[in-house]
Amino acid sequence: MSMETENVNVTEEVQEEVKEFTSEVKIAGDVIATIAGLAATEIEGIASMQGNLTNELVGKLGVKNLTKGVTIEFDEEGASVHVALSVIMKYGYSIPKVCKAVQDRVKSAIENMAGLKVLDVNINIVGVETE
């Protein structure tokens, strides 16, 4: 009987070690920014994302930067994020409706794909694209 008890204890110890080994997942900010950027550009009325000068130069060299126009800030615990997007809208679309759709899509995408809580999605409209 003591042998069975020892086997159970060993099994419990191994399970505890496995739990400790697999208990942490870290997601890079660029991954969250890519998810946000892709989700935002799926919305009808968004022409493109607007990046900074470095992003524009990289884009002209033919390198696709999926984080262009996206800023991500993690909270202190790293379990939730603040998202800021700089977008260029298409002319003729309702700004409030498009922005609400972008906010909903980005929040949903990050929460579903990364399991992080999205505290806010702020949108900065930096231009309007005409045909």
Side-chain angles (χ1 to χ4, degrees):
M1 223 193 249
S2 64
M3 289 175 67
E4 288 178 18
T5 305
E6 288 177 9
N7 288 340
V8 169
N9 289 338
V10 169
T11 304
E12 290 174 356
E13 288 174 15
V14 170
Q15 286 176 349
E16 287 299 316
E17 287 179 28
V18 169
K19 284 181 186 176
E20 289 177 18
F21 179 74
T22 60
S23 65
E24 187 173 320
V25 174
K26 292 185 180 182
I27 302 172
D30 282 350
V31 172
I32 305 303
T34 300
I35 292 169
L38 288 172
T41 55
E42 290 175 352
I43 301 298
E44 183 66 30
I46 298 296
S48 63
M49 303 297 292
Q50 176 68 38
N52 58 26
L53 182 59
T54 303
N55 287 335
E56 297 302 320
L57 291 173
V58 168
K60 288 180 182 178
L61 295 173
V63 178
K64 192 170 184 180
N65 186 355
L66 298 174
T67 63
K68 179 171 96 170
V70 182
T71 304
I72 302 293
E73 289 184 31
F74 289 89
D75 69 346
E76 291 181 15
E77 294 84 33
S80 52
V81 295
H82 299 276
V83 181
L85 305 169
S86 295
V87 301
I88 298 173
M89 289 195 56
K90 293 179 183 176
Y91 179 77
Y93 286 85
S94 168
I95 291 173
K97 287 180 183 177
V98 171
C99 288
K100 176 67 173 143
V102 169
Q103 289 171 324
D104 292 343
R105 177 74 57 94
V106 168
K107 182 177 190 278
S108 175
I110 292 172
E111 289 179 347
N112 290 332
M113 294 178 75
L116 297 171
K117 180 178 179 177
V118 177
L119 299 173
D120 52 26
V121 178
N122 297 309
I123 299 175
N124 182 24
I125 300 169
V126 296
V128 176
E129 181 180 274
T130 58
E131 293 183 16

